[in-house]
């Protein structure tokens, strides 16, 4: 393969130790970036976390996710289904019943998300302290200097 030639249109590097994060971060057509953008948004994270517990109907998800609009929840579920993370099952009843559940791929993603949440919970006090210190320094720097 010629130097500088991509392996495929969506290939953005690998995860070896010497990979350049900016290689995939700045390219619009990078699949890695697109996937990260999709699964890291707040609605997707909440949907994945809730569906890890059990399959849910749309109305159950909407009721459990504070602040999500019907339109945004619909879009989120469609994107997650398209990415193979959520499975949509329609039951032939009147009215139709639709359940959403994580696929095995979605379950494996939830394990990673859970690790991130556990890390955040374990370090939230350190982060709060760092924020307070930063805010104090910023306020001191912005305060008018008296001579």
């Amino acid at each position: 393969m010629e130097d500088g030639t991509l392996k495929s249109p969506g290939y953005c590097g690998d995860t070896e130790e010497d990979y350049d994060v900016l290689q995939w971060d700045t390219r619009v057509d990078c699949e890695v970036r697109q996937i990260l953008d999709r699964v890291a948004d707040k609605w997707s994270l909440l949907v994945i976390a809730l569906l890890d517990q059990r399959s849910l109907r749309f109305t159950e998800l909407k009721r459990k996710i504070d602040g999500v609009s019907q339109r945004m929840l619909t879009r989120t579920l469609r994107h997650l289904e398209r990415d193979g993370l959520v499975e949509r099952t329609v039951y032939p009843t009147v009215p139709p019943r639709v359940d959403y559940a994580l696929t095995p791929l979605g379950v494996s993603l939830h394990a990673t998300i859970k690790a991130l949440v556990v890390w955040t919970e374990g370090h939230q006090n350190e982060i709060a302290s760092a924020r307070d210190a930063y805010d104090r320094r910023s306020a001191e720097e912005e305060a008018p200097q008296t001579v």
Side-chain angles (χ1 to χ4, degrees):
M1 181 178 299
E2 255 184 70
D3 190 32
T5 303
L6 297 176
K7 294 181 180 179
S8 70
Y11 180 79
C12 306
D14 52 33
T15 55
E16 297 298 319
E17 287 184 31
D18 62 343
Y19 85 105
D20 179 8
V21 70
L22 295 179
Q23 180 181 358
W24 56 261
D25 193 42
T26 57
R27 290 196 30 228
V28 175
D29 63 339
C30 178
E31 288 182 34
V32 172
R33 180 60 189 201
Q34 291 172 8
I35 294 166
L36 286 173
D37 286 346
R38 170 92 69 239
V39 300
D41 76 71
K42 68 179 178 179
W43 303 125
S44 294
L45 291 173
L46 290 169
V47 167
I48 291 166
L50 287 168
L51 291 179
D52 185 64
Q53 298 166 3
R54 66 181 179 90
S55 66
L56 294 169
R57 296 176 75 172
F58 183 91
T59 53
E60 292 175 301
L61 282 166
K62 180 142 178 18
R63 191 171 41 249
K64 290 177 180 278
I65 302 174
D66 187 39
V68 71
S69 67
Q70 181 169 334
R71 179 179 180 267
M72 184 53 69
L73 181 56
T74 299
R75 288 183 61 195
T76 299
L77 287 166
R78 285 182 182 158
H79 290 307
L80 292 172
E81 183 181 6
R82 181 174 182 252
D83 290 341
L85 301 169
V86 167
E87 179 179 57
R88 180 177 181 263
T89 305
V90 180
Y91 296 95
T93 60
V94 177
R97 177 179 158 199
V98 180
D99 284 349
Y100 295 90
L102 289 183
T103 63
L105 185 63
V107 170
S108 71
L109 176 60
H110 180 263
T112 301
I113 292 168
K114 187 173 180 181
L116 181 60
V117 171
V118 168
W119 180 89
T120 304
E121 289 172 343
H123 293 87
Q124 64 185 341
N125 292 335
E126 292 171 69
I127 293 168
S129 294
R131 287 178 176 174
D132 289 343
Y134 177 89
D135 292 345
R136 280 192 304 276
R137 285 191 313 272
S138 294
E140 290 171 6
E141 291 171 3
E142 292 177 12
Q145 299 295 326
T146 57
V147 181

